[in-house]
Amino acid sequence: RSTVLVFFTVTTVPNSLVMQMKDVVKTVVVQGSTGGLEEKEQNLCHVLDNIKKFGSDNDLIVFPELVIQGYVREKDYDFEIRYWEAAETLPGPTTDRVSALAKEYNCYVAFGIAEKSNIPGLLYNSIALVGPEGFVGSSRKMHLASIEKDYFLLGEESNVFDTKLGKIGMMICYDLFFPETARILALKGAEIIIHIAAAMGGGERGGVGVSEDKRRFFDTAGVCRAIENQVHYVGGDRVGTHYMGPKLGTWSPMGLAKIVNNYGVILAQAKYGEEDVIFGELTNADLMSGRSVYPLLLDRNPKNYSRLTKYEM
């Protein structure tokens, strides 16, 4: 990439914008066809096996939303009870097992998991991040779609975690379409935003909406979040089929995992509706040059944004 560096005089640079990213972060996204609640152990083994396969040569491995327990289904009391029983606290047994391999292979792993809240029967749709040092942290889905409201509590504002790879923020599926989610992570200093999903295709593939629309939305939104926040974006989805219950039938996630740098360049993209594994190298050089030429975060004018909090539907 040929880049012209433009230097600006800035009185104060917020601590959150001081960069600490590793020179090169070798990234893998595993787009698998994992099972539902009954296959929890197999789902976990899928995660562990892929860490063994890719951990030695890569820094960051990303798996989809709710990869451990599988996605939820239409309201069913028996299923709700079993889903609660299969959920875990964070940290917990699953993060312990994943952390052990992350330490052995000296890599970081992000994956979706159903998290127990302090209220019996109520859960969070969460993403966990573990690394060589053990459990790093988690974020909870802030925007719930469709039947997710029958199972999960709304998550709160997400945190950014300091790691040996850099500052990592995380969000889940529907959060992608609310720009405030990624912007908050960027203002907290995120250099890499991990976004995981189990996005059902819509139309004949099942799910809300039209397949062509949803494919275009997911193809576009992650690139937009990367550009407007000057961050690297790593998006992971699952594929296969998922039985949603007798009324909703079987739905199919889309896939379309992607790795995008802060310039909005798609470094790697997975297939539509098929199992796939993609690889990409995120660089600190891109981040530094991009933020020098396009200082979008420094050029914000938040004093004129107050209406964002005043107008609610």
Side-chain angles (χ1 to χ4, degrees):
R1 170 180 299 277
S2 176
T3 302
V4 177
L5 294 180
V6 180
F7 295 93
F8 297 85
T9 301
V10 180
T11 305
T12 304
V13 177
N15 288 334
S16 62
L17 298 186
V18 176
M19 295 187 293
Q20 63 182 47
M21 183 177 162
K22 184 180 177 182
D23 287 344
V24 178
V25 177
K26 298 178 70 176
T27 304
V28 182
V29 183
V30 180
Q31 180 172 287
S33 176
T34 46
L37 180 61
E38 291 75 15
E39 290 80 39
K40 180 183 176 183
E41 181 62 25
Q42 294 96 306
N43 296 339
L44 174 55
C45 287
H46 164 80
V47 171
L48 299 176
D49 289 344
N50 278 285
I51 296 172
K52 295 174 185 176
K53 188 173 183 179
F54 300 114
S56 296
D57 300 321
N58 295 282
D59 301 302
L60 174 64
I61 308 175
V62 176
F63 296 89
E65 177 183 11
L66 295 173
V67 67
I68 301 301
Q69 292 91 352
Y71 195 67
V72 292
R73 51 174 286 177
E74 62 191 49
K75 198 165 181 62
D76 176 313
Y77 180 73
D78 177 65
F79 180 84
E80 288 182 72
I81 295 297
R82 291 186 291 114
Y83 204 79
W84 162 260
E85 291 173 346
E88 301 182 19
T89 56
L90 296 179
T94 290
T95 56
D96 288 346
R97 292 174 67 180
V98 178
S99 296
L101 274 187
K103 181 177 182 180
E104 179 179 345
Y105 288 90
N106 192 34
C107 65
Y108 286 82
V109 183
F111 61 95
I113 185 169
E115 177 191 0
K116 286 183 176 178
S117 76
N118 294 325
I119 305 171
L122 295 180
L123 309 168
Y124 290 105
N125 183 341
S126 297
I127 175 173
L129 178 66
V130 303
E133 65 270 48
F135 178 72
V136 175
S138 62
S139 294
R140 296 161 173 169
K141 192 170 186 177
M142 295 173 62
H143 303 89
L144 300 176
S146 187
I147 63 171
E148 292 173 358
K149 299 179 181 73
D150 293 332
Y151 292 86
F152 301 115
L153 298 169
L154 285 173
E156 63 286 342
E157 182 180 314
S158 297
N159 293 316
V160 171
F161 302 98
D162 290 335
T163 75
K164 296 175 183 177
L165 305 183
K167 301 176 183 179
I168 296 178
M170 303 184 291
M171 58 187 188
I172 302 173
C173 201
Y174 199 29
D175 290 339
L176 179 66
F177 300 107
F178 299 86
E180 298 87 349
T181 313
R183 176 51 54 89
I184 288 170
L185 294 174
L187 293 177
K188 287 185 172 184
E191 296 163 318
I192 300 171
I193 290 181
I194 298 172
H195 167 248
I196 62 171
M200 305 299 175
E204 293 180 359
R205 298 181 64 84
V208 178
V210 178
S211 294
E212 292 77 9
D213 291 341
K214 294 186 77 171
R215 179 170 183 171
R216 185 175 64 256
F217 292 171
F218 274 88
D219 265 339
T220 306
V223 175
C224 293
R225 300 294 89 83
I227 294 171
E228 68 197 10
N229 294 296
Q230 278 295 291
V231 296
H232 296 308
Y233 168 88
V234 182
D237 198 357
R238 57 160 289 186
V239 291
T241 58
H242 181 74
Y243 179 63
M244 299 290 292
K247 294 180 181 178
L248 296 177
T250 299
W251 290 6
S252 298
M254 294 186 296
L256 296 174
K258 55 176 59 63
I259 301 171
V260 183
N261 72 9
N262 56 291
Y263 285 96
V265 176
I266 299 175
L267 304 179
Q269 175 152 327
K271 298 172 184 175
Y272 178 66
E274 299 180 37
E275 288 193 309
D276 205 355
V277 179
I278 58 173
F279 305 84
E281 294 188 354
L282 304 172
T283 71
N284 190 42
D286 276 344
L287 204 63
M288 291 182 66
S289 62
R291 291 186 179 188
S292 295
V293 178
Y294 309 107
L296 303 179
L297 297 178
L298 291 176
D299 287 345
R300 295 172 63 251
N301 186 12
K303 68 179 182 180
N304 289 333
Y305 303 160
S306 60
R307 69 176 59 197
L308 288 173
T309 60
K310 290 180 179 178
Y311 296 96
E312 296 184 4
M313 294 182 67

